[in-house]
Each structure stands twice: as structure tokens, then as C-alpha cells.
Amino acid sequence: MTAPTPAFASGTILGYPRIGRRRELKRAVEAHWAGALDEAALERTAAQLRRATRDRLATRGLGRGDSSIPEAFSYYDQVLDAALTVGALPERFAHLREPDGAIGLRALFAAARGEGAHAPLEMTKWFDTNYHYLVPEIGPETTFSLASDRFARQVAEAVADGVTVRPVVVGPVTLLALAKATDAAPDGFDPLSRLDDVVAVYARLLSSLRAAGAEWVQLDEPALVSESLPAAPAALADAAERAYATLTAGEDRPAILVAAGYGPLSAAAWETLSRSDVEGIAIDLHRGGTPDAHAGLADKVLVAGVVDGRNVWRGDLRGAWERLDAARALGAAHVAAGTSTSLQHVPHDVDDEPDLDPRLRSWLAFADQKVDQVVTLARGLRSGAAAIAAALDAASEALDDRRRAPGVADPAVRARTAALSTADAVRGDDAERAAAQDAALELPALPTTTIGSFPQTGEIRRARAAHVRGEIDTAAYEGFLRDEIRRVIALQEELGLDVLVHGEPERNDMVQYFAEHLDGFAVTRNGWVQSYGSRATRPSILWGDVSRPAPITVEWATFAQSLTPRPVKGMLTGPVTILAWSFVRDDQPLSATADQVALALRDEIADLEAAGIGIIQVDEPALRELLPLAVADQAAYLEWSVTSFRLATAGAAPRTQIHTHLCYSEFDVVIDAIAGLDADVTSIEAARSRGSVITDIAESGFAHGVGPGVYDIHSPRVPSVGEITALLERAARELPLRQIWVNPDCGLKTRGYDETVASLRNMVDAAGSVRASVSVPA
Ligand code: GLN
Ligand code: ZN
């Protein structure tokens, strides 16, 4: 197999947003789930979206015929697509296969969302991004087979439109490295042990793609950059060596581009891939340094990922050009300009943001502008630096303008962070705090609570939209919100919850809401990025120094508290999460930005306390996801991230109970950090990992309050009293009773009221029965 030349002559991108510029895919998929759109109509909508994407990319300058245009569509998740394509559908969904054994959309959506009593696949973060993938379940009993022709059909669809796309599939090593063992697997089973079987199916997949007209295939192998997976980098490089030896030996296959973004390839993986017979390697030259030259590159295409696929800044295009130029010295047959990762992590188009300040807009690049940058750099490769000098100069001027713009550095903010000392991040003694809080709050054993949000109904969203459009005035909108809070408080009292929340109806999004009320942020109108499945978020753009012009949440919290004698939690989003779910500035260390946000929150906490709020939750669901993939960088990250949380919360009085909420169940490296946050109560996700986090917490010696989520809110399924009771009994066996809190896995805003009320009722019932059955020391 020789590489068709010239490949990617116009530059390439590793992937493009797939949700649609106006979230068309979300609407179609959700309509399908609701029974309002049949499968054929859904497929037609998806095909239209793919066509629109191909046309757009071609119009902006990626070649229709040279495999520059990736085909990276997914209805739900690319890891799930790869798993199901090779037949790894968990046994509990086997009845949903087509009569011929094929795995179609019905099985795919069931695996993603759960069906009846069948729990969905576990969901977790994709490397250090805010995208979530579904964790494949693989055991010794998994039978692999080519179970879907979806990838091939998409290639054929593009060919029919006159475009030679490069299908993008998660590679076999990454698929297995991210998988977990099935329940049926023996202890210690490693999914990677099934590599040869999986690779055999990938070989068949590759020939089907070739037959459909693909000249190249992109196999995404970001596992080869990560040091944070159960498998060590050397083991992953070994697996890659075996996998690609087999795949490249195949006849009738497309040329293979192995893409490893999200960081620098491990030295072992770089060596392995360079030596292998794959026709192309795509590496991240934005985050990673330039690797060593390698003789094995002489017959390969090197896609140099110099345009950052993950942030929204127009950035230093000249620097990108210089890195690209340097990559030409590595000895590859052909160097192509590329993005460092898929562009699925950025919004579509800056030109869709008419409300943004034009000056800020000139500093930005979303997916379409990044495509333009890649096309420009590719022109430089073809025609020389002089041909693109004007574009490089324009980018440099925008960068200079950004450095000089007012608000980017605010002297008052800088003076305050400069004056901080270690004591500012230390709270009082544990025992004193516990006693003061017990006295102030008088909670029962196994206190029940929720994570903060209640369902964001269509009514709430419509009212907010009407307010944004100016159709209802602020007084009317706030009156509506107060009614909503009254309802939610009454409901919680009726359900018998112990610690109440106001329900967050005023918040469109837990980060954007704060961004809208803090200086230094801008919010977008259409800047959606996929979070998981049909869910998208609209990250704010943090462009300047952060400060709080006025209290943000105090009015809502005190209003809610005025309605009930039970404690209502004040609800804030923590500094790390605010950063993680915003597009952050790239011109100063994250730690400096985090301290600025922390100080703004510290002021908010002081105001809440002064207004009589006794429990304040500072959510940090993103603490784990910002963890750097490189082990060497992790300690420094954990240090500044924990410090920023403490800086935000350490001003609280001993009697004020500080809660935090974390949105994931992998405790591994962050367990000490969680203890380091020094929150009085921590709620965490546990339901999808079936309670094993309880054991992790118990073994870590964690001494504060902890609420391991007792049911999964990502799925509409209502948990039974029995299953919640079982989880609580397990918690009560493994942890001291006084530490245990009872709550769902996460906020309820994406759920409907029917399932929410039923689930919470079962939760309160279960807590009551466990409370009665365990002996509670007086
Ligand atoms: N308080 C937030 C909510 O309930 C927390 C959400 C989250 O952790 N993602 O919506
Ligand atoms: Zn959560």
C-alpha cells in the first residue's frame, strides 16, 4: 500500500463540530428519542448536516479530492461508535441487535442512555477535555465482529457528493485502553488483552472503508499521549506496534493516518509509529515540543498539529508557522499543516457572534477560522512564507492589540492577588468546625439533599428567552423565578429532604451565569460545544482580569431561605470549574486566573454568610478533568487548583458548612486533592460505577462528610428504593455513619419532573429505612 499523493495538500483538521451550527443534531436526536422523528428522518437530517459540513470545509479551502476533509460525524459519541462497530455491545442490550446481528441506532441509543432496567455504559471525561465518552465494556466473553456499516456508508455518501473524505475512527489501542472489564470478567482482566481480536475486526473495517471509496482513514490514538491511563505508556506503545503491524499488512485498505492529539506522544509511541508502516502520523505540536527526527518518517506524511484545536484564540499564527517549518526537518516525505486535536471542542464560527465586541472578536478563532488558519499555513508550505506574510502579520497585530487592551490587566485585581499569603487559604480546626456546624444545623443522620439544580423546564427556558429578547421585563422575569423557587422549596419540604436548594432556575448554566456577572468574561450567542450525547454547553470566553462588580447569588439564596425553616444551601461554582468550562486566556498561567476568580467567590461567600446562609456549596465538578495528562505536570496543577478552592472558601466562619460537589467517580490521583479542598461535605458521582467509589473513599481515610451519589441523573431511569437502600447500606458498612450524606449523582436540571419526583421520593424513603435500621449513636 503506498500513500496516494498528494495527501492533505491543503492542510487538514482532525475533526469538526458535529452538533450543527444551531444544534440541529441535538434537536433531531431528541425528537427521535421523544418519538416525534422516525429513524429514516433522523438519518436524513444527519446526512444533511454531514453534507453541509463537507461543503463548508471545501468552500473554506480544504481539498475535496485529497482526503483533507475528515468524516467525523457521530450521533452520540465516537468511542461508542467504534466499540459498537467492532461488536462490543454489552450483553444486556443483545436483544436490540438487528435480526442479522448488526448493531443499529436503537441499540446504540440504548447503550448510551440505558433502557428499562438496563443501565447505560458508564460515562467519563475524554482525556483532559470537557467532552464525555462512553466507557466500552469488554471481557473475555466479548465476541468481536464487524457489526455496523455506518462508517462505510458515510464514506460512500461523501463520494456520491464528489468528496473523498477521510473517515475518523477511534483506534484499537485507544478503544481498549479506555474500556473497562465487563462484570463477567475475572478480577484483573485487562481489555487490552483482547487486542489481536479487535484488530482483526478493524482490518475488516478498513477494507470496507476502502471499498466505499476512502483513500485514507484516520485512527485516533490519543491513548498514546496519556500517562494517566491504567496501562503504562510503554505497554500502550507495544500494543500500537502489534496493532499497526497487523493493520498495515492488510491488502485493500486505505492509507492509515494515526492521530495522537491532546499532548506530546510518549517517546516510545513516537518511536513505534515512526518505525511502523502506517502512511501518516498526526501529532500535537501545540502542546508538545517537536519530537526527534526519525528515518522511518521518510515514506510518511506528518500532519503537524500546530493550530490549537482546543482554545478559541486566534493566537500566534507566526509561531505556528515556525513550528510547522521546523517540522519539515524531521525527515517526513510530506508535511501537512493540521490542528492539534479535533475541532469538536470549539464552537463553529466567530462570524456567528454579532454581539461580541468587535475588538474581542478580532482576537478569536473558532472552528471555521481555525480551518482558515490551516489553509493559510498549507499555502505557506506550498508557496513559501512570503505568500502568507500578510496573514501572519495580521494575526500578530491582533495579538499585540490584545496585549494592550484595557481590562486585560486590571491593576486593582493584580494588587489584591499579589498581597495574598498562605494563611488566606487555611480554614479553622476540623473539630471546632464540626461542633459549630452540628450545633447550628441540627441535621439527622444520613441527611438528604440534592446537588443544586431542579429540572429546567420548557417554561423556565421560555421565560428566560423571552426576557433575553426583551419580551418580558426584568421585574416580571424575577417574579417568575421567585414563583419557581417557591414551588421547588415546597416540593422539597413535601418530599422530606433535609437540606434544601433553591433550584438554580435563574441559571442557564452553572459557569455562564457567573461569567455574566463577573468582569473579565464575555459570553457567546451560538458558541455551543458538545459535552456528551445531545448535550452542549456554551463556554464563556475569559479574556481579562476577573473581578466581581456586585453580589451575584445573595438575593436568590436569601429569598429561598426566607421560605423555609430548613437550611437552604447557597450555591456557587468553584474557580477551577469556572476555568475548566470557559475558554481561558492563554496569556497568563491558569493559576493566576484561578486566584482572581477565587477572590471574587470569597467575597460572594462573605456576603452569603452575612445574609444568614449557613451552608454554602462550591461546586468543583471539573477538578479531575483539568488534571494534566503528563504525570510530571500533575502535582503543580493539584497544588494551584486546591489552593484556589481554599482561597475561595477559607474566609468562611467555622459554623458555616462548606460543601463541594465533584462530578466523576475516578478518585485515583485526585483523592488527596479532594481531601485537600478541606470542604466539610463532598458529594460525588457513584451510581454508574456501582458504589466502588465508596470503597475508594473509605480506604483513603477521608474524614469529612461525603455523599456518594445514590442514583444516576444522566439517565431518565427511576431508581428503586431497594437499589438505593443497597448502596446506602454498603456506604454504612464501609464508612462511619456521621460522614454519610444522601444525594443524587449530580444536578437535576436536565431531567423532567416526573422522574425527578419519583426518584427523590425513593431516595428519601431509602434514607429513612437505612436510618431506622442502623443503630444511630446519640
Ligand atoms: N449545582 C450544580 C447543579 O446541580 C452542579 C452541577 C454539576 O456538577 N455539573 O446543577
Ligand atoms: Zn455533578
Side-chain angles (χ1 to χ4, degrees), residues 77-328:
D77 166 45
Q78 67 264 23
V79 179
L80 179 66
D81 292 342
L84 298 192
T85 296
V86 300
L89 178 70
E91 199 43 46
R92 60 187 179 280
F93 300 111
H95 61 286
L96 296 176
R97 286 182 183 249
E98 310 292 321
D100 63 354
I103 298 172
L105 271 190
R106 191 159 164 231
L108 182 143
F109 288 139
R113 309 174 65 225
E115 195 198 61
H118 304 302
L121 299 189
E122 195 176 315
M123 186 162 64
T124 191
K125 312 278 179 184
W126 173 249
F127 299 93
D128 55 349
T129 72
N130 186 31
Y131 175 73
H132 305 61
Y133 69 94
L134 291 161
V135 180
E137 296 174 17
I138 287 174
E141 77 286 5
T142 307
T143 355
F144 296 107
S145 68
L146 188 54
S148 164
D149 62 355
R150 182 163 295 283
F151 285 113
R153 274 190 279 135
Q154 290 172 9
V155 171
E157 167 192 287
V159 168
D161 282 351
V163 184
T164 309
V165 283
R166 183 179 79 246
V168 178
V169 187
V170 170
V173 177
T174 298
L175 178 68
L176 294 177
L178 298 182
K180 66 173 203 178
T182 53
D183 285 347
D187 274 358
F189 172 82
D190 178 2
L192 262 178
S193 65
R194 300 296 312 274
L195 184 70
D196 294 345
D197 304 317
V198 166
V199 167
V201 181
Y202 270 83
R204 292 189 50 209
L205 171 66
L206 262 44
S207 38
S208 76
L209 298 175
R210 179 76 199 106
E215 291 179 3
W216 281 80
V217 62
Q218 174 181 323
L219 294 174
D220 282 341
E221 293 286 17
L224 299 176
V225 310
S226 180
E227 295 175 0
S228 311
L229 294 166
L236 293 167
D238 276 355
E241 173 148 19
R242 282 222 321 279
Y244 289 99
T246 306
L247 291 178
T248 52
E251 305 280 308
D252 301 330
R253 63 170 178 86
I256 297 173
L257 174 68
V258 175
Y262 303 95
L265 269 176
S266 73
W270 173 243
E271 166 68 26
T272 299
L273 293 177
S274 299
R275 244 192 300 111
S276 77
D277 290 328
V278 302
E279 285 76 15
I281 308 174
I283 55 174
D284 183 344
L285 288 179
H286 182 78
R287 280 204 174 170
T290 309
D292 294 335
H294 197 288
L297 296 174
D299 57 359
K300 291 183 178 55
V301 177
L302 180 67
V303 175
V306 293
V307 172
D308 185 0
R310 299 184 48 179
N311 78 18
V312 291
W313 299 107
R314 183 170 174 185
D316 180 9
L317 195 58
R318 189 174 294 285
W321 166 254
E322 281 159 8
R323 282 195 300 280
L324 181 61
D325 203 30
R328 294 209 259 196

Side-chain angles (χ1 to χ4, degrees), residues 451-453 504 510 571 581 617 619 621 661 663 746-749:
I451 305 303
S453 58
E504 307 179 23
M510 65 187 286
M571 195 60 63
W581 295 352
Q617 179 171 312
D619 292 324
H661 167 69
C663 248
C746 196
L748 302 166
K749 76 173 177 193

